[in-house]
Amino acid sequence: MSHHQVFQKQVLAPTGVEQCIKANLINDDSINLVLAKTNVLQIYNIRYEKIEKLETVTESEQDIFIQKKKIELKPSLELIIEKTLFGTIESMACVRYPNSERDSLILTFRDAKISVLDYNSDQLDFEIRSLHYFEKDDFKGGRNHFKHPPLLKVDTQQRCAVMLLYDRNIAVLPFKKTSSILDDDDDDEDEDNFEEEDDNVNNNKKIEIKNENFQQQQQQQQPHQSPKDKESADDEFDLLFEKDSTTTTTSTSTTIQKETETETETESTTKQEKDKNQEKKKKIKKLNSFIIDLKSIEIENVKDFCFLHGYYEPTILFLHEPIQTWTSRIAVKKLTCQMTAISLNLSTKAGSNIWNVSNFPYNCEMLVSVPEPLGGALVITANIMFYVNQTSKYGLAVNEYATIDTSTISGGQPFDFPIDDTLNLVFTLDRSNFVFLESDKFIGSLKGGELLIFHLISDGRSVQRIHVSKAGGSVLTSCICVLSNNLIFLGSRLGDSLLLQYTEKSITDDQLEHENFSNPYKKQKTSEVFDLFDENIEGKSNNNNNEEKASMASKLLEEIEDEEDELFKEKKNQLKSYQLGICDQIINIGPIGDMVIGQSIDPTYDETISPNQPEYVPKTLELVTCSGYGKNGSISVLQNNIKPELVMAFELPGITNAWTVYKEPTNDIDNDNNEINIKIGKKRSLDENEEKEDENEEEEEEEDQEEKIKKDKNWHDYLYLSLKDGTTLIFETGRDLKEVGKFNFKSLDIGNLFGRKRIVVIYQGGIKLINGFDSVIQDIQINEPIKSSYICDPFILLQFHNGTIQIFKGIDEENQLVQFQTNSIPNTLSQSIFSSSLFFDRNKSFLNINNKNQKSKESLNNQKSQQKQQQSKKKKDKSLGFLDSDDDDNESSEDEEMKDQQHEEEEEEEEEKVENEELKINDEDNIYLNIYTTNGCYEIYRLISQECIFKVSDVKFEYDLLGINSNESQDQILEQVLTPKSSLSKKQLQQHLQKQKENGITSKNNYNEIQNSEILDIVEISLHSLNNSDPYLFMFNKIGDLIVYKSFKREKNDELRFKKYNHSFILRDSVTEFYQKQQEKELLNGMDDDMDEDEKKKKKEEEEENLNRQKRIVEFSSISGKRGLFIGGKKPLWAFCEKGYLRLHSMDSSDNSSNGNSNNNNNNNENSTPANNVNTVETFTSFNNISCQDGFIYFSKDKDVIKICTLSTLMNFENDIAIRRIPTKNSCHKIAYHSEAKCYVVIVSFPQVTQELQEDSKKPILTDDKFQIKLIDPTIDWSWKFIDSFSLQDRETVLAMKIVSLKFTEPDGITRARPFLVIGTAFTFGEDTQCKGRVLVFEIVSHKTQFESEELGEKRLNLLYEKEQKGPVTALSSVNGLLLMTIGPKLTVNQFYTGSLITLSFYDAQIYICSICTIKNYIVIGDMYKSVYFLQWKDGKTLNLLSKDYQALNIFSTEFIVNQKTLSILVADLDKNILLFSFEPQDPASRSGQMLLTKADFHVGSNIEKFVRTPMKQLQQKYQQQQQQQQISKNENNIKKASSDYQVKNYQDNDNKLPKKKQLIIFGTLDGGLNVLRPLDEKIYLLFYHLQSKLYYLPQTAGLNPKQYRSFKSFSQNFHFSPSTYHQLPKFILDGDLISKFLSLSQSERRLISNSINSTSDEIIESLKDVFESWNLF
């Protein structure tokens, strides 16, 4: 079999926001933001943080300014749910079902699929409510390509939803009818029928209980709906929206005296029920979905549609173009668009035309529905904004081209629409988005990012004019929605999405000056425009707020004193605008136009350090992309592994653990002063001013000292290091580490108690309470060997090897430790404790669970809230009667309101004081004890009251939810689990069974207990509260799997549950390695006499390690300003909770240097990356002092080096990959990395005016992109500044850039290969002139003049050669030291020996070559319309065409895939597919090699601009050190020989698994995602192929089919079939996203699936681990 097998995996989900809506999905009280990012669905919640700000208040009596602390609520986004779907979300909407507490989400997918989802709060997940499928050939009309995706919109009153179906039909999904004016009587009758029917049903139930003929009567009863009606429905959408017929009603009680009476009554009631059911069926008709052909109602070529407000029936307004036009016919036919309003009759399933408006400009783009009371809709064109209603029309010209669009044509109908051209602002409306803030005010985001406020000024029926005001400038938006009365969200696919807070401000017409928004040189005021990348946004907004508040107050006073009429006042108040401020943002790295792999360089690192020195930092790689567009343009640096920044390192062998602690502060400073008095006198003389300046300087110095002391409180004072030799070193942490003391015992755990007053040291034998750093105050002796310990102030938890625990509590008054009694916690031998920990609930998430005290407090709080609600109702009543009262009454009511406000403020202050007191008292109530027992039960106890708040069994089997199947025993689950393959010998199994028999333990599934119970037992368990999220449960089992659960509470009874958090990190060791270690331990235990001294030392060390287990999960509170977890091991992990959602990131702990050469086209690249020596990190602690602020210390087990590091504050950890953004504020098009100069070359562009500017002109200014070549040197500093630039000519566009290796003759006469920067451009002067291009060759040199600053470095761009070409230079590459250059459809080979390009050979393709890639002397070129060509550069003279593809594929990019000796061609097309082609002349289907064979196709779902080919990371060879072990004794030779043979066999198997001559493909998408293609061996491919075939049957979110989603799509290409299906080939490209879902299954599900494909779950997981590790490069 040829090796064309590829594994495709999404490493980073799309980050660009395509759609956004507001919904109440979680509950009715909270507002949720729903985002669609291509195939990712995200649900956000709005969380408000309390922020203290200083507010200046003046006193009139004295010239004193008092600064008071003011608490403000800052809104931010909190991610609740993130789902990756197997389908691209085309449109979405929300619907509130009848009698439902929350909204439902409606999603549409291509070609015509609808999924309705409900949020299930009991499972913390979505569940499918209904699915709808309209993909029939009858609706397609014989067509394969459609202009619009399935767009869905919901009626304003939620009576129905309409989806545009295949451009020519609409699918109507009616909901249950809502009450209206016309059918009030009918609804009342229906409700009466419902109530009577329910009464009869309840009465019948009471009678049937006593009746003997219960079954016969039940058969006589008829259901409410006949099965025929159900079968006649097109889908089940209407059934889901009907009212529940079993609603609870008050039933009348009936008395029965005799059995004969009951029989007659039942017969009469059943007859009555039948009659009423039949009458009800006649009155209420079922509402089924139906389809309307738009051609039947004279609607063709639909551009957009929307629902109108204020109609009794659902009314849709269509924007369509019955007779289309094009550019050359605009002079004859330009008014081609038309608006048609259709009223839908849901009962007759028909639509009727009620009104239409014709003769609209051809460039109408979209419709925006206007809410009541105005109604109607806005029609948006590029130059005009129309308001259209059934009775009125209005048009606002936004630029001068509006008159051209509406000018009358000779012989045509005149444009009778009124156009208002009095607007002073000049802009265009194409690609803009709009949303209504109020009934007559809406905000619009233009294509340049400007935000405008539009105000519809009307007389109550028709719009008189539209007032426009400026609100600011933001990102280039793709969607926009309003979340609340002061929050708005701007979604963007070209930049970061923003959450904005808007406040109202009054304006006048005089403030509107003439301004042209299309002018790139316009000066924008800081008060009007905010910038995303401005660091002082908040400061500016605060100052502007204060000024505007003062101006608004003065204007309000003037309006009150003014004696104008009320109508004039209302019109004046209508002119209002809004001020915007940024509250939160969602990072986006899309669209990724280009990407490159470069070397990650620390600017402060000394490269002269050798690898043997402890300060040595290995060279790593990083992925750099071009992101954004326009002013949102940036460079993104992606790191799959977090790279810590080294501060200091030194050798210190034998460290086992480290801790940093605080000591008791000597100076106590009161920081709780809420008022700061600053005395400011009047200006009288210069002397007084000088004295005041001196006083101010002294005060500032004192404030600086106080701030330093505050910082010192957070600095660690001592560092304790526990060594293997049984001692503990004590260091004082100042600017340098100084050893100040030593303990003669090995410490197990150290921490602070009583705040920071004391230090507690736990060692094997006791507990010491220390004052200072070594003076012992209290010493507690413990005889039992300690297995693990946990310190949570004021509690200490000790767990012993006999399965018992002991808890000590610190008494703050006496500063002593006292044993804490745990009587109610089970501590018997039958349920011995296997692992335990303590948890401090910082966010009080568990406080209300089984807490009697808290329930009483809640009842009191509820009473207070009810009183407040009553008071607020009284206020509302007063405010409602304000219009009818006189002036005196108004004054008295204002006084009462002032008094009420004062009382409220006093009550709030008292409540805050009480709450603060409760917080101090109840800190101990929030400490919980976690226990995992030997029988697999997990329990949580509140430590003070010893109440059990949660208990569940069989945690180790990794069920999706914890808290449901708690009663199911372990034996019942083990019976369902199939037996995997055993790696143990028969002797060990027999010995284990004999031991169990001796101990009296009998079980049916002894074999399963060995395989499951031993490996899956939870060794470490801990709960952690990260930031403001719910607590997360982290667990490690014996084999090393990391299991994570998120806690949540049910809405009904606040019952605690846990939802599994799925991640793709595999931290386990192999099963064979695990059992081999156990085998060695058993062998070594029997050979104590024959051991050497070294072996005895190893055995002692292992015994000590087994005696006390070191914690792998360490919590930190502030590292680089972030709170999270560090998870140690061979692959260390960081856990952050940004935006309330857990993200895991791996840390790079390798010590070997990787090759910095990232030129992927070199021939020697296949084996360029050496094997990395991964160090096991088990020792970690946070570290904060003067020299290393908010840092950490870690110690690698394999090397005796302790490192003090920090995390970069420039990185963002919100996504699965750490991202750093370098804003350029210009569009970035191309990027390349120069490996020798270690710098990046970037192509950027910015708009440039191409015409003369006129001040009063209303024409939009035409701009052209000006391209520049920029040079970035990351070795200078962290800012990544541009150090050199080269400007290209006007109207010159860069199409290609690459650093290639060309042969060049040096001045000494030697010809050698050197890297050169080659750029291909094109001149665009319009259609009349021929398009030409230019090629430029640069070199990067070290050059610096005396006038240049040192900040710019010495590297510069030097132009060596330029030449104009006959056509555009579209693609560049190199082969054998020669330059490959494509000029339009022609490929040329050029040499650069003498410093000028000389053409050696050429080849003509068909239309336009857009991509080129090479490997050795093989070349692949991609034609934009005619697929790919495969060529060979032969004998250094000619280009030979080997083969090509004859299909009409629209190519985006091409690349090679190398899999051992197999070479495949990878292609990305227009319809978001990737295809694999192969050159096989021996295959008859290839026409003797003339045609490339399609081996596989795969639908990615996103367009791909660039493939990056890089060598695969070589995996570690296992058991290298075990091969060199010495022979032990002659008596055990046979046993050792057998074990060594077993090891050698494993070495050979593992060597076969190592990738040889394989290369990865990394590609970024235009949606901001990152994917990987990894070649597979045949064995692993077959394993994954069969696994994928089983995983197809797993239930997916929204009911989507992964197999159908990954099939070949042809939305716009003339390619009507799947190539792999046509040739009947297997799926050579495997779906890694689906296969990785195997890790999210429970243990029993894994066993069942793996056994069904004749494999084991361990084998599958180990294979996945090898695959995942192969792209762990950057």
Side-chain angles (χ1 to χ4, degrees), residues 71-323:
I71 297 177
E72 294 184 357
L73 297 178
K74 181 183 178 181
S76 61
L77 295 174
E78 182 181 7
L79 181 59
I80 301 175
I81 298 175
E82 183 180 37
K83 289 289 181 182
T84 302
L85 310 179
F86 287 98
T88 302
I89 302 172
E90 300 295 342
S91 64
M92 61 181 180
C94 63
V95 172
R96 177 64 64 92
Y97 279 56
N99 301 326
S100 179
E101 297 178 355
R102 55 176 67 94
D103 293 340
S104 298
L105 188 64
I106 306 178
L107 305 176
T108 65
F109 305 92
R110 283 188 186 262
D111 283 338
K113 293 187 267 300
I114 300 177
S115 298
V116 184
L117 306 179
D118 278 349
Y119 176 75
N120 190 345
S121 60
D122 294 340
Q123 297 182 1
L124 207 68
D125 200 354
F126 283 108
E127 61 182 6
I128 300 172
R129 188 153 194 171
S130 64
L131 300 174
H132 310 275
Y133 186 84
F134 296 98
E135 296 178 2
K136 294 181 180 180
D137 294 335
D138 298 339
F139 304 143
K140 294 181 180 180
R143 296 171 297 137
N144 292 313
H145 301 143
F146 309 100
K147 183 179 180 181
H148 296 284
L151 301 176
L152 182 135
K153 296 186 179 181
V154 179
D155 178 37
T156 57
Q157 299 181 20
Q158 296 191 349
R159 292 168 289 190
C160 67
V162 170
M163 183 182 70
L164 184 62
L165 184 63
Y166 297 122
D167 296 339
R168 299 181 181 179
N169 305 296
I170 56 171
V172 183
L173 308 176
F175 305 155
K176 184 64 181 176
K177 290 172 61 178
T178 57
S179 60
S180 62
I181 300 173
L182 296 179
D183 53 0
D184 282 341
D185 300 333
D186 297 335
D187 290 340
D188 295 337
E189 292 177 1
D190 294 341
E191 288 178 0
D192 295 338
N193 291 333
F194 269 118
E195 290 178 359
E196 293 175 3
E197 201 169 283
D198 292 332
D199 294 341
N200 292 330
V201 170
N202 292 327
N203 294 335
N204 288 335
K205 286 181 180 178
K206 290 183 179 181
I207 297 168
E208 287 165 1
I209 292 172
K210 296 183 180 181
N211 195 359
E212 295 177 355
N213 299 325
F214 174 71
Q215 296 178 354
Q216 296 179 359
Q217 293 176 0
Q218 189 177 11
Q219 293 176 359
Q220 292 176 0
Q221 292 179 356
Q222 292 182 355
H224 295 288
Q225 296 176 355
S226 63
K228 293 182 181 180
D229 293 333
K230 294 182 180 179
E231 292 175 359
S232 63
D234 292 336
D235 52 25
E236 298 179 357
F237 201 90
D238 54 327
L239 299 176
L240 297 169
F241 282 83
E242 290 184 353
K243 290 183 179 180
D244 190 7
S245 61
T246 59
T247 53
T248 57
T249 55
T250 57
S251 58
T252 57
S253 61
T254 57
T255 58
I256 303 170
Q257 296 178 356
K258 294 181 181 180
E259 293 182 358
T260 55
E261 292 179 358
T262 59
E263 293 177 359
T264 55
E265 285 178 2
T266 51
E267 291 177 358
S268 61
T269 51
T270 52
K271 289 180 181 180
Q272 291 175 3
E273 187 177 359
K274 289 179 183 180
D275 296 335
K276 288 184 178 179
N277 283 333
Q278 291 177 357
E279 291 177 359
K280 186 178 177 183
K281 286 178 182 178
K282 293 179 182 179
K283 291 182 179 180
I284 302 175
K285 295 182 180 180
K286 294 181 65 175
L287 303 177
N288 301 327
S289 64
F290 56 94
I291 293 174
I292 298 176
D293 187 3
L294 294 178
K295 199 170 183 179
S296 62
I297 52 179
E298 300 179 353
I299 294 177
E300 290 181 337
N301 303 321
V302 176
K303 288 188 171 184
D304 196 9
F305 69 96
C306 69
F307 279 93
L308 297 178
H309 291 261
Y311 286 84
Y312 294 126
E313 295 291 340
T315 304
I316 310 174
L317 182 65
F318 286 93
L319 171 62
H320 59 104
E321 193 174 11
I323 301 175

Side-chain angles (χ1 to χ4, degrees), residues 311-352:
Y311 286 84
Y312 294 126
E313 295 291 340
T315 304
I316 310 174
L317 182 65
F318 286 93
L319 171 62
H320 59 104
E321 193 174 11
I323 301 175
Q324 294 180 324
T325 185
W326 62 298
T327 307
S328 298
R329 289 188 59 82
I330 290 176
V332 180
K333 187 179 293 184
K334 65 171 64 175
L335 304 177
T336 56
C337 286
Q338 183 176 343
M339 260 67 64
T340 303
I342 303 297
S343 178
L344 297 178
N345 192 335
L346 302 180
S347 58
T348 60
K349 300 180 182 180
S352 58

Side-chain angles (χ1 to χ4, degrees), residues 982-989 1010-1011 1075 1078-1079 1542:
S982 174
S983 59
L984 290 174
S985 62
K986 293 182 179 180
K987 293 182 179 179
Q988 287 182 332
L989 288 172
I1010 296 171
Q1011 291 293 317
Y1075 282 110
Q1078 288 189 345
Q1079 222 174 23
Y1542 181 70

Side-chain angles (χ1 to χ4, degrees), residues 1344-1616:
K1344 180 185 174 185
T1345 62
Q1346 60 181 353
F1347 302 104
E1348 295 176 344
S1349 62
E1350 296 181 356
E1351 297 179 354
L1352 300 179
E1354 298 180 352
K1355 297 169 186 175
R1356 297 292 182 268
L1357 291 169
N1358 183 25
L1359 179 62
L1360 294 179
Y1361 175 80
E1362 63 171 332
K1363 184 180 179 181
E1364 187 174 340
Q1365 304 295 324
K1366 295 181 180 180
V1369 181
T1370 59
L1372 297 166
S1373 187
S1374 65
V1375 57
N1376 295 339
L1378 304 175
L1379 178 64
L1380 292 176
M1381 180 172 57
T1382 61
I1383 303 171
K1386 179 180 287 187
L1387 171 66
T1388 62
V1389 182
N1390 306 272
Q1391 68 176 9
F1392 194 66
Y1393 291 164
T1394 60
S1396 61
L1397 293 176
I1398 300 173
T1399 303
L1400 301 179
S1401 180
F1402 68 92
Y1403 175 80
D1404 287 327
Q1406 289 190 343
I1407 298 178
Y1408 183 88
I1409 299 174
C1410 61
S1411 67
I1412 182 172
C1413 60
T1414 61
I1415 186 168
K1416 292 186 178 180
N1417 61 337
Y1418 295 103
I1419 305 165
V1420 167
I1421 58 176
D1423 195 293
M1424 184 172 284
Y1425 297 98
K1426 294 296 181 181
S1427 198
V1428 291
Y1429 298 78
F1430 185 46
L1431 301 97
Q1432 184 184 17
W1433 174 246
K1434 193 174 182 181
D1435 299 332
K1437 296 180 181 179
T1438 58
L1439 280 172
N1440 291 339
L1441 176 66
L1442 298 179
S1443 182
K1444 70 174 184 178
D1445 181 31
Y1446 288 88
Q1447 299 296 331
L1449 275 178
N1450 297 343
I1451 300 298
F1452 261 47
S1453 55
T1454 58
E1455 189 52 88
F1456 286 103
I1457 288 185
V1458 180
N1459 189 357
Q1460 295 183 4
K1461 295 182 180 180
T1462 303
L1463 185 67
S1464 304
I1465 299 171
L1466 180 65
V1467 169
D1469 68 351
L1470 176 64
D1471 287 326
K1472 307 174 183 180
N1473 306 301
I1474 57 175
L1475 297 96
L1476 277 182
F1477 291 95
S1478 175
F1479 175 62
E1480 297 180 2
Q1482 69 278 6
D1483 195 331
S1486 65
R1487 302 175 188 175
S1488 300
Q1490 295 181 6
M1491 185 176 71
L1492 290 173
L1493 297 180
T1494 307
K1495 289 297 180 181
D1497 58 72
F1498 189 86
H1499 184 68
V1500 179
S1502 303
N1503 288 119
I1504 302 164
E1505 278 284 342
K1506 180 68 177 292
F1507 290 110
V1508 175
R1509 178 164 50 89
T1510 182
M1512 191 181 299
K1513 181 179 179 181
Q1514 298 290 335
L1515 302 179
Q1516 280 189 326
Q1517 294 183 359
K1518 300 178 181 179
Y1519 311 108
Q1520 289 179 351
Q1521 298 178 356
Q1522 295 181 4
Q1523 279 183 336
Q1524 301 174 356
Q1525 289 182 354
Q1526 299 178 357
Q1527 296 180 355
I1528 302 180
S1529 65
K1530 295 180 180 180
N1531 296 329
E1532 301 293 337
N1533 274 339
N1534 295 328
I1535 300 175
K1536 289 300 277 182
K1537 186 177 180 181
S1539 63
S1540 63
D1541 291 339
Y1542 181 70
Q1543 290 177 0
V1544 170
K1545 185 179 179 181
N1546 282 323
Y1547 303 152
Q1548 295 174 355
D1549 294 339
N1550 290 320
D1551 288 338
N1552 293 329
K1553 292 181 181 179
L1554 291 176
K1556 299 175 182 178
K1557 296 183 180 179
K1558 293 183 181 179
Q1559 295 184 349
L1560 279 175
I1561 300 292
I1562 303 173
F1563 60 92
T1565 65
L1566 296 184
D1567 302 321
L1570 192 68
N1571 294 40
V1572 171
L1573 286 172
R1574 195 251 196 211
L1576 295 176
D1577 291 332
E1578 184 177 352
K1579 182 180 178 181
I1580 299 178
Y1581 165 74
L1582 291 175
L1583 176 65
F1584 287 167
Y1585 178 77
H1586 294 300
L1587 176 63
Q1588 178 178 270
S1589 62
K1590 297 296 181 182
L1591 294 177
Y1592 279 143
Y1593 299 100
L1594 286 180
Q1596 302 295 338
T1597 306
L1600 297 170
N1601 185 2
K1603 189 174 183 179
Q1604 189 272 339
Y1605 175 60
R1606 297 306 186 184
S1607 62
F1608 184 83
K1609 303 291 190 302
S1610 178
F1611 298 131
S1612 57
Q1613 300 177 112
N1614 294 323
F1615 209 90
H1616 307 316

Side-chain angles (χ1 to χ4, degrees), residues 769-811:
L769 193 64
I770 296 174
N771 185 13
F773 61 89
D774 58 354
S775 59
V776 179
I777 298 176
Q778 184 180 5
D779 192 355
I780 301 174
Q781 298 296 325
I782 296 173
N783 298 325
E784 292 290 335
I786 300 173
K787 183 180 180 181
S788 64
S789 59
Y790 218 96
I791 300 173
C792 185
D793 192 11
F795 292 97
I796 298 173
L797 170 65
L798 299 180
Q799 182 181 343
F800 305 110
H801 279 272
N802 59 4
T804 60
I805 60 172
Q806 193 171 359
I807 299 175
F808 293 90
K809 181 183 178 182
I811 301 174

